[in-house]
Amino acid sequence: MAKECKWILKEQADPAKVERLATEVGIDKVLAELLVKRGVETFEQARSFFRPSLSDLHDPFLMKDMDVAVERLHKAITTGEKILVYGDYDVDGTTAVALVYSFIQRFTNNVDFYIPDRYDEGYGVSYKGLDWAAEGGFNLIITLDCGIKAIDKVEYARSKGVEVIICDHHLPEDSLPKAVAVLDPKREDCHYPFDDLSGCGVGFKLVQAYSQKFGVPFESLIPLLDLLVVSISSDLVTMVGENRVLSHFGLKQLNENPCKGLLAMINLSNLEPGHISIDDIVFKIGPRINAAGRMESGRLAVELLKATDTRTAMFIGEKINENNNDRKNIDREITQEALEMVQEGKCLASENVTIVYNPKWNKGVVGIVASRLVEAYYKPTVVLTKSNGFVNGSARSVAGFDLYGAIESCADLLENFGGHVYAAGLTLKEENLEEFARRMDAFVAGKITSEMLTPIVDVDAKLDFAQITPKFFRILKQFQPFGPGNSNPIFVTENVYDAGSGRKVGAGGVHLKLDLIQESQPYHQIPAIAFNMADFSDYIKEGNPFDVCYAIVENYYRGNSSIQLRVRDMRERDDII
């Protein structure tokens, strides 16, 4: 059972601003308060928020080096040079490669793509990939979602007569690679107005700039936005500013006219075409695309996403779907083994940080397993396995704790590491394992607080079920697309009980399907789904009242749409926030 959460009601917005906005826009005060908390305070700002426009996109030439990158790409296209589009094996990398490759292919046939092998080459630009490019006569490599730290490798490429344009969104180090152009909005000397683009987003800005400079109609880029929204959603970049605009139109494209590869994924995920949401991407489409790189090869994902006919897309899609089923089985087995190791005290560390190691585990799923262990024990977690003679692993953190900093403190023991505050990857020699675990545990002990070790649910507002009207939900839906920085609001309703139809559902009966009634409004019944909360079943069946926090979602099934509560947490009635 997951660790009990602490519910924190967000600070109230300025009542005068809420009152004014509610009157100006003609909406419920609860909705007006949600908007004010998102920085939307005037009618004009509300109109801009509810009606995203492609004219709100920034000029791509505001990005440092964009002019140089566009000129170099144009030279390669017009002189018939061979161009290699090179990307990471995850969703962001493969969508980026498919997007940029498909665009360049409109102008030249001298283009190919390369995805490194997760197990053989690891993350980012590899010497093997550079040798392959040089031997194949490629003059220009465009890296996507990687390359910002590839200082030595860019130098190596240059020595082989291969020039590089880097498109990345990760944090650079003090020195940049000496590439022809380095496109990264996180560069200190880059003053691009929005610095949280995905890797695919940076690739899109490159093709947007090229189109702008050489008279390619912007409308011809809109069919590429379905790939971009899949990247933005899966890579968990913030859903604000330019990302929100791109995602809004990307979802429109995904629902109205998706590329053949994404349509195959929609069908194989048993989703309703025309009703795809960000959640569907995050939980259904993204994991399938990721599974190709985890279980077989990220090349397969790019082949899928650039497919131009339905038969090819479905053939590749079915292979990727099989990869995903294999991934789920392996992930389930390894998670169970890892949980048992912790319970039996067989892990390398468990006091302040959870560190587990098994040289036989599949490298492709250790990140997923780390996330599962965080859910179970709510501590910073490192899951390690062995590959190519080295110990490799993934780390995941808890809210507020800088796990990257903890790993960096052990840099002298590591061969390689990378990532960010909440998720990282690392490689080390087996003989350094014990010392790494000891130092990590000590470092975390000195920095982590008891507050960080308690999962928190940030509650936006208290709500009565009677307030959830069709009009309320219609306006709430327009807050989409949801994601970090613009998350689906979480509400609390107190003193509720199940109408009597509550039951366990899902494989193994781990979820709860409920019909909730608020004690003060017994005729207002509302359906709810509570994932992984079957432990609460007996308490609810006995007719006991409880408090519930939830997001309001649309449940679309076989042509019928209904309002449903997606429960985040429940607690017995005597525990009130």
Side-chain angles (χ1 to χ4, degrees), residues 436-458:
F436 169 75
R438 189 193 66 74
R439 276 177 35 188
M440 278 290 288
D441 200 60
F443 184 93
V444 174
K447 299 278 183 186
I448 206 155
T449 64
S450 57
E451 288 81 10
M452 290 177 196
L453 293 169
T454 305
I456 287 168
V457 178
D458 285 314

Side-chain angles (χ1 to χ4, degrees), residues 3 352 370-371 373-375 377-381 395-403 421-423 444 448-456:
K3 198 166 180 180
N352 305 294
S371 297
L373 292 183
V374 171
E375 283 170 25
Y377 298 107
Y378 211 72
K379 289 177 184 175
T381 299
R396 297 291 182 269
S397 194
V398 296
F401 185 76
D402 179 1
L403 184 62
V421 172
Y422 294 124
V444 174
I448 206 155
T449 64
S450 57
E451 288 81 10
M452 290 177 196
L453 293 169
T454 305
I456 287 168

Side-chain angles (χ1 to χ4, degrees), residues 56-345:
D56 294 334
L57 296 180
H58 303 302
D59 180 352
F61 286 100
L62 294 172
M63 197 177 291
K64 179 82 173 168
D65 277 5
M66 185 62 82
D67 50 348
V68 185
V70 165
E71 286 299 338
R72 181 65 187 89
L73 176 56
H74 187 61
K75 179 187 170 218
I77 288 170
T78 52
T79 61
E81 290 180 84
K82 289 184 78 175
I83 304 165
L84 187 66
V85 184
Y86 188 118
D88 188 25
Y89 39 68
D90 69 0
V91 182
D92 192 16
T94 52
T95 51
V97 168
L99 187 152
V100 173
Y101 175 90
S102 301
F103 177 79
I104 293 173
Q105 205 180 30
R106 296 176 188 179
F107 310 101
T108 176
N109 290 325
N110 285 328
V111 59
D112 203 346
F113 70 91
Y114 190 93
I115 303 288
D117 182 274
R118 178 189 286 267
Y119 302 99
D120 182 35
E121 296 164 80
Y123 167 78
V125 181
S126 71
Y127 288 111
K128 183 178 176 179
L130 295 175
D131 287 339
W132 188 87
E135 285 159 20
F138 289 91
N139 311 97
L140 178 65
I141 294 177
I142 300 171
T143 75
L144 292 151
D145 191 35
C146 61
I148 198 64
K149 294 182 178 179
I151 294 170
D152 294 344
K153 284 159 187 166
V154 167
E155 198 58 51
Y156 180 76
R158 257 190 1 178
S159 76
K160 296 251 176 184
V162 182
E163 293 193 309
V164 180
I165 293 171
I166 290 168
C167 300
D168 204 348
H169 69 131
H170 295 101
L171 207 57
E173 291 178 340
D174 295 338
S175 303
L176 295 174
K178 289 188 169 63
V180 176
V182 179
L183 306 180
D184 188 332
K186 291 191 177 76
R187 277 180 68 163
E188 258 188 38
D189 58 348
C190 179
H191 304 299
Y192 189 73
F194 186 72
D195 73 352
D196 202 28
L197 292 166
S198 64
C200 187
V202 178
F204 179 78
K205 297 312 287 189
L206 173 62
V207 305
Q208 184 193 353
Y210 188 93
S211 302
Q212 204 169 295
K213 178 78 186 276
F214 297 106
V216 180
F218 182 83
E219 292 69 37
S220 74
L221 303 184
I222 289 173
L224 301 171
L225 294 180
D226 55 0
L227 292 169
L228 186 45
V229 71
V230 169
S231 131
I232 291 169
S233 309
S234 302
D235 217 52
L236 299 177
V237 287
T238 50
M239 195 63 80
V240 299
E242 201 162 32
N243 281 341
R244 190 164 181 272
V245 175
L246 291 165
S247 294
H248 174 87
F249 288 96
L251 271 180
K252 193 169 185 293
Q253 182 69 26
L254 189 62
N255 279 298
E256 292 174 5
N257 190 19
C259 67
K260 296 289 191 289
L262 288 176
L263 181 59
M265 286 291 94
I266 288 165
N267 291 330
L268 289 162
S269 304
N270 296 317
L271 295 170
E272 292 267 2
H275 294 272
I276 311 300
S277 67
I278 296 292
D279 274 359
D280 292 328
I281 297 172
V282 171
F283 296 112
K284 300 284 181 71
I285 297 171
R288 281 173 168 76
I289 294 171
N290 246 338
R294 290 183 192 282
M295 306 307 296
E296 194 171 333
S297 166
R299 279 194 69 84
L300 208 53
V302 179
E303 294 288 0
L304 171 83
L305 298 171
K306 72 178 188 66
T308 52
D309 68 281
T310 306
R311 186 181 288 185
T312 303
M314 275 306 286
F315 177 75
I316 300 169
E318 281 165 358
K319 282 180 78 174
I320 286 177
N321 210 38
E322 281 172 30
N323 284 333
N324 190 52
N325 290 333
D326 292 345
R327 187 272 305 167
K328 283 196 280 193
N329 291 333
I330 291 169
D331 148 26
R332 209 175 288 123
E333 283 169 23
I334 295 177
T335 298
Q336 193 52 46
E337 286 175 24
L339 287 167
E340 285 168 9
M341 283 174 84
V342 179
Q343 287 156 9
E344 293 165 12

